[in-house]
Amino acid sequence: MVIAIDGPAASGKGTLARKLARHYDFAYLDTGSLYRAVGQTVRAAGGDPSNEEAAVAAARDLDLTKIDEAAIRTREAGEAASLVAVMPAVRNAILQFQRDFAASPPGGKKGAVLDGRDIGTVVCPDADVKIFVTASPEVRARRRWLELKGSGSAVSEAQVLEDTRERDKRDAERATSPMKQADDAHLLDTTDLSIETAFGEAVRIIDKSMS
């Protein structure tokens, strides 16, 4: 079984997807981390994430076991991810990995939960359940700002909001695999929901689809 969780940055989709994977004992893949890792790999080598040649090389050589979780969660890594994610060649280099993960979940799991921005529309268009998770830009920016503040970043909430809106625009307008809600996806707006409430609603959607 494949569950596709899509949505913009800081909508809560990652936390929700991880909780769902644990709940159903499915394998979990944060596809956004793949693009963050590509962008961060280029940056760490002193390159420019907007350089397509460098980004494609990093995507093709990506080793999931060497991803530095702390490094890819920085604001800079997020910006780099958004830059490399618009490149068709980078997306092609990562697409097959994601599909293989969904088709044959590691660890002998009976299902997979993938979260990203184009899982339900491009990566797994035939996913058993699709949920598009969103929230207002202001709420998402505040969530991200609190996360960055907790890690010692001095960035302002206003700057994070500006970054959020710019990233949303890039993700929605990119020529290849733009972020959008699949026609058959369930919309879950978490603006005024706690993670537990959102989780409960997602479980209700999935259980109904499985029955």
Side-chain angles (χ1 to χ4, degrees):
M1 181 173 184
V2 177
I3 299 173
I5 308 292
D6 286 308
S11 60
K13 67 180 184 297
T15 301
L16 180 62
R18 284 189 291 272
K19 287 176 71 67
L20 290 171
R22 288 194 296 268
H23 179 76
Y24 293 104
D25 192 27
F26 288 173
Y28 167 65
L29 179 63
D30 171 8
T31 65
S33 69
L34 305 180
Y35 294 103
R36 282 175 170 268
V38 169
Q40 179 58 23
T41 296
V42 175
R43 289 184 69 252
D48 181 353
S50 64
N51 182 308
E52 187 163 1
E53 183 178 354
V56 171
R60 289 174 176 165
D61 294 338
L62 194 61
D63 184 346
L64 296 183
T65 65
K66 296 181 179 179
I67 293 178
D68 184 336
E69 282 295 325
I72 67 171
R73 296 303 166 190
T74 63
R75 175 182 169 228
E76 291 76 14
E79 285 298 301
S82 191
L83 291 172
V84 302
V86 303
M87 301 173 184
V90 170
R91 302 196 72 82
N92 289 337
I94 291 177
L95 179 60
Q96 194 58 52
F97 175 87
Q98 297 173 83
R99 287 179 170 168
D100 289 345
F101 184 98
S104 302
K109 300 293 185 180
K110 296 184 181 299
V113 181
L114 291 82
D115 83 65
R117 288 171 173 74
D118 63 349
I119 309 304
T121 54
V122 176
V123 179
C124 300
D126 297 323
D128 298 277
V129 183
K130 302 176 186 179
I131 300 176
F132 191 87
V133 186
T134 190
S136 72
E138 293 78 12
V139 166
R140 291 188 287 115
R142 182 163 184 79
R143 290 172 181 169
R144 183 62 178 144
W145 173 69
L146 289 172
E147 181 182 310
L148 291 169
K149 185 179 178 182
S151 64
S153 174
V155 65
S156 69
E157 186 173 354
Q159 182 60 57
V160 176
L161 177 57
E162 182 180 341
D163 291 348
T164 298
R165 287 175 170 154
E166 289 179 354
R167 186 170 181 183
D168 285 352
K169 189 173 186 294
R170 281 200 302 269
D171 288 342
E173 295 179 354
R174 66 190 181 210
T176 302
S177 305
M179 178 184 66
K180 63 178 181 179
Q181 180 179 344
D183 292 338
D184 55 347
H186 299 268
L187 179 64
L188 182 56
D189 191 327
T190 67
T191 299
D192 299 313
L193 301 182
S194 67
I195 184 58
E196 290 304 329
T197 302
F199 172 70
E201 180 61 17
V203 168
R204 184 192 67 76
I205 292 170
I206 295 167
D207 286 352
K208 184 177 181 180
S209 299
M210 294 170 66
S211 63

